[in-house]
Amino acid sequence: MTGHLKSWPIVLALSILSAPLVLMYAYLFIDTFTNAPPGSFIPNEFTLEHWTFLWHTPPGRLSIWRVTLNSLMFATSTATLVVVVSSMAGYVLSRLNVPARGFFLAGVMVLHAFPAITLIVAIFLVLQIVGLYNTLIGVILVKAAIDMPLGIWLMKGFYDTVPWEIEMAGIQDGASRFTVWRKLVLPQVKPGIFALGLFAFLLGWGEFILPQVLAPSGNAQVLSVYLAALIADDNNFDMALFKSVGLFYIAPVLILFFFFQSYLMNIYGGGTKG
Amino acid sequence: MRILLDKFSKSFGDVRVIEDMTLEIKDGEMLALLGPSGCGKSTTLFAICGIHKVTGGRILFGDRDMTGVPSQERNVGVVFQSYALYPHMTVAENIAFPLRIRKLPEAEVKRQMEEMANLVHIEALLDRRPAELSGGQQQRVALARALVRRPNVLLLDEPLANLDAKLRLEMRSEIRRIQLETGITAILVTHDQVEAMSMCDRIAIMNAGEIIQIATPQEMYRNPRTAFVAGFLGNPPIAFIEAEARGGMLAVKDADIRLPMPANATTPPDGTPVIVGIRPENLGRDGDAPIRGRISFVETQGRENLYDLTLANGSVLRSIQRESDDVSLNDEVEWRVRSDQLFLFAQNGERL
Ligand SMILES: Nc1ncnc2c1ncn2[C@@H]1O[C@H](COP(=O)(O)OP(=O)(O)OP(=O)(O)O)[C@@H](O)[C@H]1O
Ligand SMILES: [Mg+2]
């Protein structure tokens, strides 16, 4: 980075501006492993007591591992559903001559722009009637349905860039339309599938309102709901515990970003290389 | 395999692209579909391979009616203009794809794939991906992939359009060599008359969805059926001048030039306006009918010079001659035409 002397004022300004954020994160991290004397912010002892929730389940709460597993299942299932359906629907909308194609495209667009939260009461009723209220499957279906329009549009965009001749060549080579899609077209949109899967997973992992309303208690609780329950619990409110669970909750997200950041950058940089 | 288009028609909605076209391609023959842009060449090709459904008529492969048969079962090899190689597969996988689709045993796939790679000379490139190949190499891979399953017919849609001039020359003879070696029936779509003449057994010349003439390249060049055909073949192109039949001679309009009636033309009645076509190689120092004019353009092509000769009435003739220094721009000259090589057309373009 030599020779970039002019950039130091910018770096300085950015550092000063982002310092509070960095400090907050650092403090969050330190705070979960230490105790501070009353009235002070400076920690004076190292402790693991705030992390005891990992191996000790207080009465009346679900085990943290059970909740984590729920979150994981919720996020992976919605991501899988979204990816599978979007990768097919996107292809159909991009390539096949389906009746009312324009209507579907516009419809998907409207659905995407539609604030799904306004439907929550109706969804709540529907889930209760079909008996999926307070179940993981119920929220998974709802979440996947809400994320799908975005996924379909994203995948349609990726399919649109695949040359038409490749498919025709595949057909001439004797492959069925389905084989052409799976063996020839799908590999060209792999970056899209991957990005969509990752986003859908992160969206699912971070989702709070839907599980909170549709699966608030019982065995279907996910991490975000668990966390919210901690604050709401007036009897034994524990700030440090809340912070620890919070850190535990965002750790997978940070890890994912750490591993895939270069990949995601590449996609946003227009790098849709097959 | 013999291919027959029997009164084939194709329209897109209201747009009638091709109507009642009948075309036969003989077994083992390479036929060029030659015509200007938008005349329906690709449409014809796509109808043969099944990408487009025909709106009328029949398509026969041998004796089998293929009109309603889906693309996958027609066994047609297509080389697209953009080659359409599968970017995520290696060259070997690209060529083997049609065989794997047929679920041939792996040993057989490998054997046929290698045989085909040898035929098109790409043995050394089998592990590369298409992005790591030059244009000419990609072209060879596309050919190999189209030929590997021994198709009934090979269709080539402007296969040379994306190559540079030198490579085009090379691939021209390569494609012809491969076609002759495999003995496959092939249709080449092109709008380049040189390609059509040099690569194919016969040329079908098309205009606005109609076949104007089908003949061997020599026959078509020597004996064009219409002014359109005459104008399409030959480089530099033929020049046309307006004239009138008068007393068994052709009087060039508004100029003091008389040309004898070509022997092979039917003599039109006196006063009939006609169009005379003169190819550049038939206007020069030797010949039997003199033509006077002014040299309005000289182009040196190395071995030969190309001249534009402007007549008294303003029309322009072209002449190609051995390179020489004795005439220059704006000189008045009297050159000669070989009258037996003239073409005579009626006003509507039909040959007389
Ligand atoms: N899908 C379509 N819908 C409507 N019209 C079409 C369609 N495809 C082709 N056409 C029309 O059919 C005519 C012939 O098209 P075609 O592609 O066969 O031309 P071509 O001879 O291959 O020309 P080029 O040399 O430019 O490739 C054109 O006028 C074109 O506008
Ligand atoms: Mg075309």
Side-chain angles (χ1 to χ4, degrees):
Chain A
M1 280 306 254
T2 50
H4 283 184
L5 285 178
K6 289 259 174 56
S7 65
W8 73 264
I10 303 173
V11 172
L12 186 69
L14 286 177
S15 305
I16 291 173
L17 280 175
S18 49
L21 265 173
V22 176
L23 274 177
M24 265 163 54
Y25 276 114
Y27 189 67
L28 172 70
F29 184 75
I30 293 167
D31 213 26
T32 61
F33 286 104
T34 56
N35 274 330
S40 163
F41 286 119
I42 316 295
N44 64 349
E45 59 167 351
F46 174 80
T47 177
L48 286 177
E49 72 179 71
H50 307 309
W51 289 91
T52 51
F53 71 92
L54 288 180
W55 55 84
H56 174 74
T57 307
R61 287 209 195 116
L62 277 181
S63 147
I64 184 76
W65 296 112
R66 178 64 207 263
V67 179
T68 310
L69 186 67
N70 280 347
S71 262
L72 208 59
M73 277 185 6
F74 176 65
T76 4
S77 308
T78 47
T80 312
L81 258 179
V82 168
V83 165
V84 169
V85 175
S86 305
S87 62
M88 295 188 184
Y91 179 72
V92 170
L93 287 178
S94 165
R95 286 300 155 85
L96 303 188
N97 223 342
V98 283
R101 181 165 164 276
F103 170 79
F104 277 115
L105 276 177
V108 167
M109 182 65 114
V110 169
L111 279 182
H112 175 45
F114 200 79
I117 202 70
T118 53
L119 291 174
I120 199 110
V121 176
I123 295 174
F124 174 83
L125 291 176
V126 170
L127 284 192
Q128 266 202 330
I129 291 167
V130 298
L132 287 177
Y133 175 68
N134 232 347
T135 64
L136 211 46
I137 295 186
V139 233
I140 289 172
L141 289 178
V142 173
K143 177 67 180 160
I146 287 174
D147 285 353
M148 232 168 252
L150 171 71
I152 293 175
W153 264 97
L154 197 106
M155 289 317 299
K156 179 189 172 289
F158 272 90
Y159 283 122
D160 285 344
T161 65
V162 178
W164 169 90
E165 282 94 346
I166 288 191
E167 282 176 68
M168 285 312 145
I171 301 258
Q172 295 308 322
D173 284 345
S176 69
R177 199 77 205 225
F178 183 76
T179 311
V180 166
W181 173 71
R182 211 173 55 81
K183 290 250 176 83
L184 301 180
V185 181
L186 214 49
Q188 322 286 325
V189 298
K190 243 198 265 161
I193 302 257
F194 197 81
L196 179 60
L198 197 59
F199 283 127
F201 180 86
L202 292 176
L203 281 175
W205 188 262
E207 179 64 47
F208 168 60
I209 297 286
L210 290 175
Q212 168 76 10
V213 177
L214 304 173
S217 56
N219 289 334
Q221 205 173 41
V222 295
L223 268 172
S224 57
V225 178
Y226 181 90
L227 198 58
L230 283 183
I231 323 183
D233 193 347
D234 293 330
N235 298 329
N236 32 34
F237 180 71
D238 184 345
M239 191 61 160
L241 174 64
F242 180 73
K243 283 183 189 165
S244 304
V245 177
L247 198 60
F248 179 76
Y249 179 42
I250 58 170
V253 177
L254 293 181
I255 292 171
L256 273 184
F257 266 115
F258 181 76
F259 277 110
F260 295 121
Q261 60 160 338
S262 60
Y263 190 82
L264 287 173
M265 298 287 190
N266 193 19
I267 287 174
Y268 280 129
T272 57
K273 219 175 157 213
Chain B
M1 186 171 283
R2 182 192 72 130
I3 310 292
L4 177 68
L5 301 183
D6 183 18
K7 299 219 174 64
F8 147 69
S9 307
K10 173 72 196 170
S11 40
F12 297 100
D14 294 339
V15 191
R16 294 185 178 174
V17 178
I18 289 169
E19 269 184 272
D20 284 347
M21 171 166 146
T22 298
L23 173 64
E24 186 187 358
I25 302 109
K26 299 189 190 118
D27 185 28
E29 171 184 56
M30 182 143 172
L31 179 104
L33 272 184
L34 179 65
S37 187
C39 70
K41 306 181 295 289
S42 301
T43 308
T44 310
L45 216 61
F46 289 153
I48 295 174
C49 66
I51 291 175
H52 288 337
K53 279 206 193 83
V54 305
T55 35
R58 294 188 307 159
I59 296 174
L60 281 87
F61 288 14
D63 291 326
R64 184 162 172 218
D65 187 345
M66 288 286 187
T67 319
V69 175
S71 291
Q72 284 95 337
E73 291 163 34
R74 292 196 189 190
N75 196 14
V76 173
V78 186
V79 175
F80 292 88
Q81 185 176 339
S82 60
Y83 313 140
L85 299 178
Y86 310 133
H88 58 292
M89 296 183 183
T90 62
V91 167
E93 287 165 339
N94 262 282
I95 302 175
F97 183 77
L99 302 175
R100 297 227 162 93
I101 288 291
R102 268 142 218 246
K103 304 220 163 43
L104 259 63
E106 198 52 32
E108 185 62 18
V109 169
K110 196 161 151 40
R111 193 186 65 71
Q112 293 194 16
M113 185 270 288
E114 279 170 357
E115 186 190 343
M116 206 36 82
N118 289 337
L119 177 72
V120 301
H121 300 325
I122 46 168
E123 311 84 329
L125 308 171
L126 288 178
D127 294 327
R128 300 227 202 140
R129 283 177 200 282
E132 300 158 357
L133 300 178
S134 74
Q137 291 165 339
Q138 293 187 19
Q139 168 92 77
R140 288 169 192 267
V141 178
L143 263 171
R145 190 184 63 188
L147 288 171
V148 74
R149 62 208 141 92
R150 324 230 162 259
N152 292 324
V153 54
L154 176 68
L155 307 180
L156 304 142
D157 192 359
E158 307 200 18
L160 305 176
N162 285 348
L163 302 179
D164 66 51
K166 190 156 165 286
L167 205 51
R168 207 176 290 182
L169 268 174
E170 182 190 326
M171 287 313 292
R172 218 153 76 186
S173 45
E174 272 297 277
I175 292 178
R176 180 60 165 165
R177 170 185 71 81
I178 293 163
Q179 187 264 333
L180 288 174
E181 244 169 78
T182 51
I184 192 172
T185 312
I187 303 178
L188 171 85
V189 159
T190 176
H191 49 230
D192 181 346
Q193 46 105 13
V194 183
E195 263 172 40
M197 304 235 287
S198 60
M199 292 169 74
C200 296
D201 300 307
R202 285 195 306 158
I203 299 176
I205 196 158
M206 285 182 72
N207 190 25
E210 256 183 275
I211 293 191
I212 313 283
Q213 186 175 4
I214 308 183
T216 63
Q218 297 87 340
E219 169 65 14
M220 191 170 275
Y221 190 76
R222 287 198 202 125
N223 213 352
R225 185 181 292 168
T226 69
F228 174 80
V229 176
F232 216 88
L233 294 188
N235 186 27
I238 194 168
F240 296 106
I241 46 176
E242 289 179 41
E244 200 182 273
R246 201 177 293 156
M249 298 282 277
L250 297 165
V252 176
K253 213 171 166 187
D254 303 330
D256 185 21
I257 298 173
R258 295 275 178 131
L259 297 171
M261 195 69 71
N264 52 8
T266 48
T267 309
D270 270 13
T272 319
V274 292
I275 297 169
V276 182
I278 303 174
R279 288 209 191 273
E281 64 268 28
N282 297 328
L283 173 64
R285 311 298 165 93
D286 11 81
D288 49 349
I291 283 192
R292 290 189 66 81
R294 188 178 54 82
I295 296 186
S296 56
F297 179 78
V298 183
E299 186 183 290
T300 313
Q301 295 189 335
R303 193 161 20 96
E304 285 151 339
N305 279 356
L306 176 66
Y307 303 97
D308 277 6
L309 189 68
T310 305
L311 306 186
N313 65 0
S315 34
V316 178
L317 291 179
R318 263 174 236 116
S319 165
I320 192 157
Q321 302 176 12
R322 286 259 301 285
E323 195 268 337
S324 67
D325 293 330
D326 57 348
V327 283
S328 51
L329 202 59
N330 290 325
D331 283 358
E332 291 283 342
V333 291
E334 186 177 286
W335 279 344
R336 286 155 196 285
V337 178
R338 296 171 53 182
S339 64
D340 53 334
Q341 302 287 336
L342 291 181
F343 298 130
L344 204 56
F345 302 100
Q347 287 269 285
N348 64 5
E350 289 291 330
R351 180 88 179 274
L352 291 172

